[in-house]
Amino acid sequence: MVNDIAIVGYAQSPSWRASELTEPQFLFPVISEAIERAGVERREIGFTCAGSCDYLSGQTFAFVMNLEAVGAWPPISESHVEMDGAWALYEAWVRLQHGDIDTALVFGSGKSSPGKPAEIYPLQMDPYTLTPLGADPVSLAALQARAMLDAGKITEREMAEIAARSRKSAIGNPYAQVSGDDDPEALLKEPYVTAPLRRHDLPPISDGACAIVLATADKAKALSKRPVWIRGIDHRIDIHQPGMRDLTESPSTRLAGKKAGVGDAKVDVAELSATFSHQEKLLCEELGLGDDVEINPSGGALAANPVMAVGLARFAEAARQIAEHGKHRVVAHATSGQALQQNLVAVLEGD
Amino acid sequence: MSSQAAAVIGIGQTKHKKKRDDVSLPGLVREAAQRALDDAELNWTDIDAVVLGKAPDPFEGVMMPELSMADALGANGKPMMRVHTAGSVGGSTALVATHLVQTGVHDRVLTVAYEKQAEGNAQWGLAGGRSGGMGAGGIFAPWMRTYINKSGAPEDIGWKVAVKDRQNACKNPYAHLHLPDISIEKVKESPMLWDPIHFLESCPSSDGAVAMVLTNEAGAKKAPRKPAWVLGTAMRSELGTFPGRDTVRPQAGVECAHMVFDAAGITNPREQIDIAELYVPFSWYEPMWLEGHDIAGPGEGWRMVEDGSTQITGDFPVNPSGGVLSSNPIGASGMLRFAEAALQVRGEAGEHQVADAHVGLAQAYGGAAQYFAMWVVGSSLDAVGARK
Amino acid sequence: MTDTKQPDSKQDEAVDPNAPITGMDYFMKLEYHELICPVVREFADALMEKRLIGHKCPKCSLIYSPPRGYCPICTVQTTKADEIEMQTRGIVTNYTVVTPVQYYGQEETEPFAKVSLQLDGGGNLSLQDLPGVPVEQVRSGMRVEIVWAPDGERHVDDVTNRSWGSAEGAIRGWKPTGEPDADPSEYSDKVF
Ligand SMILES: [Zn+2]
């Protein structure tokens, strides 16, 4: 049996195309805001966990400097995953299950602006067979989209509609980088970037950060009038070699969703880390989310894609739907690797 | 509290070498993982989740390698995590796996850590690709000098640790360095790398991996071999650079030790701990950590080295495996400490087994001596109590 | 960031075509272009005017140079209002003599020293150079003063968000003042 853990504070930075601030500099106010909104004292926090990536910023031990934004003095109990901040949240959720501490701080941050994604991300693939081919995210996503089109699981028009809806939803979201009122017909007239993907099917390149404060049940009730309960959380990984996967499916998402209990009751909203338009449809299928579920009211990853924070930001946006917009049951999703290789799914609920 | 007992029931490591050109990266981790599974007499399908740890990705040029290693580690369809807390990562990774079992989230977790230093260039990585890199020793050398000045330790203490760990390594078939002819004279005469650190007082650069299978009480009872029970865990971090920081005795290290002692019910570490595997990449760190973790009093750490207490036959053996000074696959070095402490309390350490080892301490540190991970393992759940 | 190895001229030497292939070299080159953050830009601008600046935390009075824009101890942000000009004389508090190992991009071939400094009037710098001082003469307690690069030659091209404190284009290093060494009590608890 797992104990209920709640989100009691969350904050995000804007999503910038290129921030002139260093990662610890833009993390600093985000962490402070999340702690302040949770109403806890910084020194009360029992565990801290971060997610970031050396290769994004091109610096070994990049995460060490991020500790400065936490204020790790006097010393703190702390850990770091070289993964999206959503997995830092998972590690903290596990740590809170012990019951000996009652609050945890998690954050994710990344600066994608200094490097070139098409050069960096091939290093994330099998170093012997795929890295030398320069297997980059857009090409792999394009293969996935092509497979879905060929299988009749999506149309280019649906992809454009997903992009247009995401951009429209992002209007008024202060954390979004891309927003606008676009006609899907007009989007479909744009040239391909990497066929069958057009500009609108791709995420922006973003710098940004997100921080969340978690608390155990008693503490959450004491801290917050509207704690956001994590009712289920699970993550799974699939085979790495894209050639050995059916790219039109995501068994890891399906299984994680089942374990997290997505289908156990009606879902009001889902915040999905679909960094390419076609992935939203694939994720909805695997999670069993129907037309009655509002998808990515924030605009999602197509509107802001601060890598290493974008998955955790889905938790912040999902929590906002419950705490600020009165929604009851919201799904948050994060992904890692290319073409949805690894996926984390959580179900959040209000009281 | 929803915390239950956790135990190590399987341990595997590779032969550590300068260059494991006989295996790929996934081949290296699978070798260690398969040995851990064999030790536990389990199959890949018995494992619920995999937790992988390693030091910075730029060391091998593979970004987030858990993604491409998922296949080799049988992780498909399972939860997989990747931990990175600098040099302490091997320890932190084992602790994340332990917490998954203790909280009942999973029944059997495989945890693996590795580094394949020959695949890239760690010195280049540490220097961030720039000229004039300090190397890890360059960061730590001034702090060792300060320790020597403050404690009044004679200069041969560092040489003694270097000799002891290499002699211990000769009893460990997995150790990278086997230097049967090591001597005080040879250490002293070896080139000075970072004053006061001589070449033979420094860790090698190794390829290697280590893996453990952790399970709960029910799983441990079914295990074919003696389990090592996890009696306490602790992680502690502090800022690496700020004016006035005590770099010789970092506060995070002091607190981490007290947390793990408290968790394990240890009130007198020197008496109640039978064997310690401490992260000693440069010889002076043995006395520095003995004092920095309040095992020895101020200025007493080097005396434990001098009087032979930390030898394999002493009353407080440190690094009977040969330690980081004899094998340093960076990301795995911390987990090797954790695994070696577990081997000792299981009585499975072979030639480097310490007699009557029932309570073992393992420690890993990283960054600018600012990240700490520790556990205490025992031959039974009341191993510490039985020691009182 | 550039990878470790460059194609090696030795590869032109005759190789046995029947030898088994046991590995392959894969060379990669990644380029990163990072914007200089505002507080480091101010630090660099001051260097061009032969001024060494830092931020003094309004809460704990610790001085950070180059400025970071925050005090990580107090977790408060610092701004231009917290800027102070630091003295350019100080004491060597500790040092490292590095025997360089070779890797791609390494230009050092002989042992070199890097020192930590405590500046008169407050503030600390790490990873500083003492050009012209033989490494065996480097010691804690030495009193030193700054050596600016001459007008016209001074530049801050090497100042980045990551080069905390080192700025060889503007600060050639530090030279002994010739005064008697400081008493260890003045610096012995400051060993970073
Ligand atoms: Zn302050």
Side-chain angles (χ1 to χ4, degrees):
Chain A
M1 277 313 286
V2 294
N3 299 325
D4 274 335
I5 307 294
I7 293 173
V8 292
Y10 47 83
Q12 291 176 68
S13 74
S15 177
W16 300 282
R17 173 59 187 86
S19 171
E20 60 178 7
L21 298 177
T22 65
E23 210 167 299
Q25 282 170 353
F26 67 65
L27 255 172
F28 198 100
V30 173
I31 289 174
S32 297
E33 186 188 338
I35 293 172
E36 219 162 275
R37 289 177 68 147
V40 293
E41 289 295 318
R42 206 176 273 259
R43 295 304 311 166
E44 274 183 74
I45 292 167
F47 184 64
T48 299
C49 196
S52 70
C53 173
D54 278 359
Y55 260 113
L56 270 196
S57 41
Q59 189 179 17
T60 39
F61 301 110
F63 67 94
V64 175
M65 287 306 280
N66 292 345
L67 208 50
E68 299 204 331
V70 183
W73 185 259
I76 57 171
S77 292
E78 187 261 354
S79 183
H80 172 260
V81 291
E82 193 87 352
M83 306 179 82
D84 186 287
W87 275 267
L89 180 141
Y90 181 81
E91 185 179 331
W93 175 84
V94 172
R95 182 63 191 83
L96 285 169
Q97 294 294 328
H98 281 92
D100 59 330
I101 55 167
D102 56 16
T103 41
L105 165 71
V106 297
F107 58 94
S109 59
K111 279 190 86 166
S112 291
S113 62
K116 299 189 185 91
E119 283 181 2
I120 296 171
Y121 286 96
L123 299 177
Q124 211 184 50
M125 306 305 289
D126 178 89
Y128 306 100
T129 58
L130 294 167
T131 301
L133 298 178
D136 67 284
V138 176
S139 301
L140 288 161
L143 286 171
Q144 186 175 41
R146 174 65 67 205
M148 286 179 69
L149 289 166
D150 288 353
K153 291 190 174 183
I154 202 164
T155 62
E156 290 186 40
R157 194 188 155 83
E158 281 179 288
M159 288 160 64
E161 282 168 356
I162 287 168
R165 196 210 65 235
S166 299
R167 290 176 176 195
K168 199 165 179 181
S169 299
I171 296 173
N173 174 2
Y175 308 111
Q177 192 179 327
V178 180
S179 62
D181 197 353
D182 293 287
D183 176 12
E185 283 305 328
L187 291 178
L188 282 170
K189 293 197 175 80
E190 296 289 319
Y192 289 119
V193 174
T194 302
L197 303 179
R198 297 179 173 86
R199 184 70 202 88
H200 60 258
D201 296 310
L202 273 50
I205 294 172
S206 314
D207 295 348
C210 177
I212 282 180
V213 177
L214 301 177
T216 53
D218 289 347
K219 183 76 175 178
K221 285 174 197 155
L223 283 171
S224 173
K225 283 200 187 78
R226 291 205 63 123
V228 174
W229 300 102
I230 300 174
R231 294 295 188 209
I233 184 165
D234 195 90
H235 63 102
R236 304 279 154 170
I237 194 165
D238 285 321
I239 293 173
H240 176 71
Q241 286 285 346
M244 291 171 69
R245 284 168 58 194
D246 178 347
L247 293 176
T248 70
E249 294 188 7
S250 179
S252 56
T253 302
R254 197 184 316 143
L255 185 54
K258 191 164 169 273
K259 296 273 179 188
V262 173
D264 296 352
K266 186 187 172 303
V267 174
D268 300 320
V269 180
E271 277 285 343
L272 309 175
S273 291
T275 41
F276 294 90
S277 60
H278 63 274
Q279 292 176 348
E280 180 184 301
K281 182 141 193 236
L282 176 48
L283 291 169
C284 285
E285 303 243 313
E286 298 293 13
L287 293 171
L289 304 175
D291 292 341
D292 57 335
V293 181
E294 189 183 356
I295 307 294
N296 290 344
S298 66
L302 291 175
N305 185 33
V307 179
M308 311 316 282
V310 66
L312 188 63
R314 306 281 64 74
F315 278 81
E317 291 292 353
R320 182 193 318 285
Q321 288 298 320
I322 292 167
E324 298 174 36
H325 298 297
K327 296 291 182 355
H328 177 63
R329 198 161 187 269
V330 180
V331 167
H333 161 266
T335 192
S336 181
Q338 298 310 320
L340 300 171
Q341 189 196 342
Q342 189 174 17
N343 296 281
L344 182 149
V345 181
V347 175
L348 310 184
E349 282 181 9
D351 274 319
Chain B
M1 290 280 287
S2 60
S3 204
Q4 52 177 315
V8 181
I9 57 162
I11 297 174
Q13 60 182 298
T14 63
K15 167 69 185 167
H16 310 292
K17 270 179 80 172
K18 179 147 195 70
K19 187 169 186 165
R20 281 296 306 268
D21 53 7
D22 57 324
V23 283
S24 62
L25 285 161
L28 185 79
V29 291
R30 192 169 169 102
E31 186 177 304
Q34 184 66 60
R35 286 177 182 166
L37 287 175
D38 290 348
D39 188 27
E41 293 182 15
L42 292 175
N43 293 314
W44 291 96
T45 48
D46 295 321
I47 297 299
D48 299 325
V50 181
V51 186
L52 182 74
K54 79 169 297 293
D57 295 358
F59 283 5
E60 285 97 349
V62 184
M63 175 182 180
M64 299 162 83
E66 71 279 4
L67 295 163
S68 54
M69 286 182 171
D71 304 10
L73 289 173
N76 298 329
K78 294 176 188 172
M80 185 172 196
M81 291 182 73
R82 157 71 193 293
V83 181
H84 177 18
T85 60
S88 69
V89 63
S92 315
T93 306
L95 296 185
V96 172
T98 305
H99 294 163
L100 285 166
V101 170
Q102 286 177 331
T103 55
V105 174
H106 297 301
D107 293 336
R108 281 171 303 275
V109 178
L110 172 68
T111 185
V112 188
Y114 78 96
E115 204 75 51
K116 207 160 185 296
Q117 286 210 56
E119 208 97 341
N121 188 323
Q123 295 307 326
W124 169 86
L126 283 171
R130 287 187 293 270
S131 177
M134 303 277 286
I139 304 293
F140 298 130
W143 308 343
M144 294 176 214
R145 182 179 305 116
T146 303
Y147 170 77
I148 295 167
N149 291 342
K150 276 189 175 171
S151 70
E155 62 179 348
D156 66 349
I157 294 297
W159 309 338
K160 283 185 167 155
V161 173
V163 170
K164 174 201 62 136
D165 280 7
R166 270 51 172 271
Q167 285 171 339
N168 289 349
C170 290
K171 301 185 168 88
N172 176 3
Y174 297 106
H176 172 177
L177 295 184
H178 284 149
L179 305 172
D181 300 330
I182 189 88
S183 67
I184 296 279
E185 202 60 26
K186 280 194 172 156
V187 176
K188 184 183 164 185
E189 295 305 323
S190 66
M192 187 70 89
L193 292 189
W194 304 273
D195 184 22
I197 312 170
H198 289 85
F199 175 73
L200 282 173
E201 288 177 280
S202 311
C203 53
S205 162
S206 315
D207 287 0
V210 57
M212 292 189 283
V213 178
L214 284 128
T215 189
N216 50 26
E217 197 160 356
K221 285 194 170 134
K222 283 185 278 180
R225 271 174 279 278
K226 234 178 107 139
W229 296 94
V230 181
L231 305 180
T233 64
M235 278 182 196
R236 212 72 177 152
S237 313
E238 72 182 40
L239 296 172
T241 50
F242 62 88
R245 176 174 180 240
D246 188 343
T247 48
V248 177
R249 184 183 147 87
Q251 185 62 23
V254 177
E255 291 181 13
C256 192
H258 284 280
M259 286 170 79
V260 83
F261 296 156
D262 288 350
I266 289 172
T267 51
N268 183 342
R270 174 89 192 255
E271 294 299 321
Q272 290 168 303
I273 293 168
D274 299 316
I275 169 263
E277 283 278 343
L278 308 178
Y279 201 103
V280 178
F282 304 100
S283 58
W284 281 99
Y285 265 107
E286 179 170 306
M288 283 167 75
W289 290 141
L290 289 170
E291 293 177 34
H293 300 326
D294 283 348
I295 295 163
E300 295 296 324
W302 65 264
R303 291 198 166 83
M304 286 177 68
V305 176
E306 189 170 57
D307 68 19
S309 296
T310 62
Q311 299 212 7
I312 206 163
T313 51
D315 71 348
F316 196 92
V318 176
N319 294 329
S321 66
V324 183
L325 280 173
S326 304
S327 312
N328 185 33
I330 305 173
S333 294
M335 193 180 288
L336 280 165
R337 310 282 66 73
F338 281 53
E340 285 288 347
L343 277 175
Q344 290 284 346
V345 300
R346 293 170 84 197
E348 303 245 344
E351 249 196 284
H352 64 284
Q353 177 68 46
V354 168
D356 291 324
H358 293 285
V359 178
L361 168 70
Q363 171 260 27
Y365 85 93
Q370 67 192 112
Y371 292 91
F372 293 86
M374 299 185 188
W375 79 8
V376 170
V377 283
S379 58
S380 65
L381 280 168
D382 65 350
V384 173
R387 267 269 162 292
K388 275 177 187 155
Chain C
M1 197 158 68
T2 320
D3 194 18
T4 56
K5 295 163 285 185
Q6 282 291 73
D8 188 339
S9 59
K10 281 181 197 150
Q11 283 180 340
D12 297 335
E13 289 170 15
V15 284
D16 174 4
N18 298 318
I21 294 167
T22 57
M24 65 175 190
D25 288 333
Y26 175 67
F27 306 107
M28 61 186 139
K29 186 171 187 234
L30 300 176
E31 275 183 39
Y32 292 86
H33 297 276
E34 192 174 11
L35 300 170
I36 301 287
C37 66
V39 290
V40 170
R41 206 181 306 135
E42 284 162 12
F43 174 75
D45 290 347
L47 289 178
M48 287 306 286
E49 299 164 1
K50 298 215 285 194
R51 293 189 306 125
L52 189 59
I53 62 160
H55 278 188
K56 184 171 186 172
C57 172
K59 223 168 147 184
C60 72
S61 298
L62 284 176
I63 297 166
Y64 297 91
S65 178
R68 302 182 193 182
Y70 49 74
C71 171
I73 307 283
C74 303
T75 55
V76 295
Q77 286 180 285
T78 58
T79 64
K80 186 91 180 160
D82 303 304
E83 185 179 302
I84 58 153
E85 186 166 342
M86 298 160 70
Q87 295 188 37
T88 51
R89 295 165 66 92
I91 302 166
V92 173
T93 58
N94 218 327
Y95 62 95
T96 288
V97 177
V98 178
T99 305
V101 290
Q102 293 310 305
Y103 53 83
Y104 177 69
Q106 171 70 286
E107 290 160 14
E108 304 289 345
T109 53
E110 295 302 315
F112 61 92
K114 292 280 179 188
V115 303
S116 299
L117 299 179
Q118 176 183 302
L119 299 179
D120 296 349
N124 299 273
L125 293 174
S126 55
L127 301 180
Q128 300 297 304
D129 295 311
L130 303 182
V133 180
V135 289
E136 57 280 3
Q137 284 176 24
V138 175
R139 62 194 182 278
S140 300
M142 277 174 104
R143 291 191 186 272
V144 294
E145 63 185 346
I146 202 164
V147 182
W148 292 106
D151 292 348
E153 287 178 33
R154 203 157 55 247
H155 68 84
V156 287
D157 299 351
D158 54 344
V159 175
T160 73
N161 295 344
R162 299 151 193 213
S163 60
W164 296 116
S166 61
E168 283 174 36
I171 303 173
R172 287 279 185 263
W174 301 73
K175 67 175 184 207
T177 61
E179 296 161 275
D181 283 4
D183 187 81
S185 64
E186 288 182 55
Y187 61 83
S188 65
D189 60 337
K190 301 189 176 61
V191 227
F192 13 86

